[in-house]
Amino acid sequence: MTKYIFVTGGVVSGLGKGITAASLGRLLKARGLKVAAQKLDPYINVDPGTMSPYQHGEVYVTEDGAETDLDLGHYERFIDEDLNKYSNLTTGKVYWNVLNKERRGEYLGSTVQVIPHITNEIKEFVYSVGRKTGADVVITEIGGTIGDIESQPFIEAVRQISLEIGRENSLFIHVTLVPYLHGSEEHKSKPTQHSVKELQGMGINPNIIVLRCDQPLEESIFQKIALFCNVKPDCVIENITLPDLYEAPLMLERSRFSEVVCRELGLSVPQPDLAEWTEMVERIKAAGAHRVEIGLVGKYVGLHDAYLSVAEALRHAGFHLGAHIDIRWIDSEEITPDTAESMLSGLDGILVPGGFGSRGIEGMILAARYARENGLPYFGICLGMQIAVIEYARNAAGIAGANSGEFDEQCADKVIDFMPGQSDDIDKGGTLRLGACPCVIASGTTMERCYGRREIRERHRHRYEFNNVYRKVLTDAGLTLSGMSPDGRLVETVELSGRPFFVGVQFHPEFKSRPNRPHPLFLGFIEAAIGTSEERQA
C-alpha cells in the first residue's frame, strides 16, 4: 500500500518545508523507493499563473502543462522525477471543482459544506497522486503556517486520510523555527511547543519534528522538545541553515532522517545510496577553477525567487564545469542608452529570462544589443528570445519600428505576435501554450552542438510567437532559425550560429535542469562565458 507523508510548518513561513520535503524525497529514492511529491497551497487563485512573481516567486511548469508553485521545482531537482497536474492543488481549484460538481447536480441535492465536500475533494486529489504514479511513498507539503485560517480544510483532510489508511501508512512531519536570542545567548523551544500544540488541537500529532535553526542546537533543546511535544527522542531532527541547499539531504541524513521515517512507516528498505549526490556536493564545494559573472536582466530582480529555476540552472552548469557563478541582478527598467555601458560592462554573459508585459522591455532590448555588438554570450529564454528577435530586426535587418504585439498593438511591424487563432479577448489564466512540445533542430547550429541530437521536447509557457511573415527578411539579414515545430509552423529557437553562444529559445529549459544533470543549453552558455572570462584575463 502507498505510504503518505504530510509536511506542515509552524511559527513563521519560509522555513524550508519545500527543501525538507524534497530532501526526504531524494533520501527515500536513494533507498530504492518510488517517490512522488505534491504541494497543497491555501491561496484562492486557481493556480499561480496569473500572479505577479513578486507575490509568489516563479511559476513552475510541469511536463503536462500545469502552472504550479515554485516548490515543485525543488521536488523535481532533488527527486529527479517529472511531476504532473496532480502535484499542485490550491483552495481556488478545490472550490472550482466542487462548485462545478454542484452545478452538474453531482451532490444529489445535498447542502454543500466544507466537511465533507471540500475535504473529500482534497482527499481525492491526494490519493490520485498515489494511483497515477504507483509510488511507494507520496510526500505532501501543506503550504502556509499552522494556525492560518486558509489551511484548516487541508489539515482536516489529511487528518481524515491518516484515519482512513491507518497510522502505519501515514506520517506527519512538522517543520518549526528554533530562534536564537543573542541577549541571553540561548535557543528557545517555546515557539515550537506552541506550534505543535496548535497542530494537536486540530487533531494531528506530529511523528517527527524538524527544527530549523541557524546555529547547532544544544542537546537539551532536543530533549525538551521530545518531552513536551510527545515525540520519540530521535524523531527531533536538526535542520541547520547551509551555504548550499543541495547539502540538505546529506545533513538531514546525518541525523538518520530517512531511517527514522522508514522505521515509523514500517518500511524495510536498504541503506541509501548517496554516492552520486555526495560526489555532486563535493564538486559544488570545489567549484571555483573559473569564476564567471552573468548578467540576469529582468523586471522582477527585486525578488530573486522570481527567477529561481534560471538561477539554479546557471549554478548547475557551473558545478559541472568547475565554475563559480556570480549573478549580477540587473533591473531592465534602469538600462538606458546612457547607462547601458556602465551597467553591462565586465560581464561574461547576458541572460534575459521570461516575463510578461511592456515594463522594462526597452532595457532588455538594449542588453541584447550590447551582447550582440560586443561579442558576449547571450541566452534569451521565452521573452528573452522575443527580445533578441526584436533587437535584431531593428538594428541588423533595418526594420526600425519592429516590436511585439504584446507591447504595441498598433505597431506596423509585429515581428512577435499572437499565436495563430488567439487574440487579446481570451482569458489570461491557463490559456498559454503550456507544457512539453517537440522541436526539430537544424543541423550545423549551436542548438545541435549543445544537445547532440536533432529532436527534443521542452516545456513552454507563453502566448506570443515569432511572426512567420518576417522569416525571410530576418534570415536574409543573418539570423538563424535553428529550431522549429515538427510541422514547420512555429519558430522555436533563433541564434547567431557564428558565435560561441548567442541563442534565444521560446521554451523554458531551466525547468529540466538538475544539479547532477545540467541542461545542455545552460552548459553551452556557461562554457562560452568561461571562454569570455579567460579572454578578458589573458
Side-chain angles (χ1 to χ4, degrees), residues 46-160:
V46 173
D47 60 42
T50 59
M51 296 167 67
S52 165
Y54 280 130
Q55 291 283 315
H56 212 65
E58 75 174 5
V59 176
Y60 193 82
V61 179
T62 59
E63 282 284 297
D64 60 356
E67 295 176 285
T68 71
D69 182 80
L70 60 78
D71 274 319
L72 268 70
H74 290 314
Y75 302 161
E76 286 204 354
R77 285 187 286 272
F78 276 72
I79 304 173
D80 200 10
E81 296 284 346
D82 288 338
L83 303 180
N84 54 44
K85 63 183 180 182
Y86 298 102
S87 301
N88 195 202
L89 181 67
T90 68
T91 295
K93 193 177 294 182
V94 171
Y95 277 85
W96 179 278
N97 292 344
V98 168
L99 290 172
N100 279 312
K101 288 179 179 179
E102 186 273 333
R103 291 289 84 188
R104 293 194 298 265
E106 294 187 23
Y107 296 125
L108 301 176
S110 299
T111 300
V112 179
Q113 298 176 290
V114 173
I115 301 172
H117 300 96
I118 296 300
T119 51
N120 283 351
E121 190 71 22
I122 296 169
K123 286 155 55 178
E124 172 58 26
F125 193 88
V126 173
Y127 285 136
S128 70
V129 175
R131 290 197 304 267
K132 297 287 183 180
T133 63
D136 299 310
V137 178
V138 174
I139 301 173
T140 303
E141 177 192 350
I142 300 170
T145 307
I146 292 304
D148 294 346
I149 191 169
E150 298 96 336
S151 301
Q152 289 179 5
F154 293 106
I155 298 297
E156 172 59 21
V158 300
R159 183 193 69 82
Q160 292 179 21

Side-chain angles (χ1 to χ4, degrees), residues 74 77 243-246 280 283-285 287-288 292 294 296 304-305 307-329 351 510 513-519 522-523 525-526 530:
H74 290 314
R77 285 187 286 272
D244 190 273
L245 60 89
Y246 297 112
M280 180 197 72
R283 223 170 32 243
I284 292 171
K285 292 179 179 178
V292 297
I294 302 299
L296 195 154
H304 294 179
D305 273 358
Y307 303 113
L308 179 62
S309 290
V310 171
E312 289 304 310
L314 287 170
R315 296 183 180 112
H316 298 166
F319 304 158
H320 188 80
L321 296 169
H324 180 85
I325 308 299
D326 290 316
I327 298 177
R328 188 190 300 179
W329 300 89
L351 188 151
E510 68 271 23
S513 184
R514 305 287 180 261
N516 54 337
R517 195 175 65 256
H519 192 282
F522 281 89
L523 279 174
F525 176 57
I526 294 302
I530 291 172

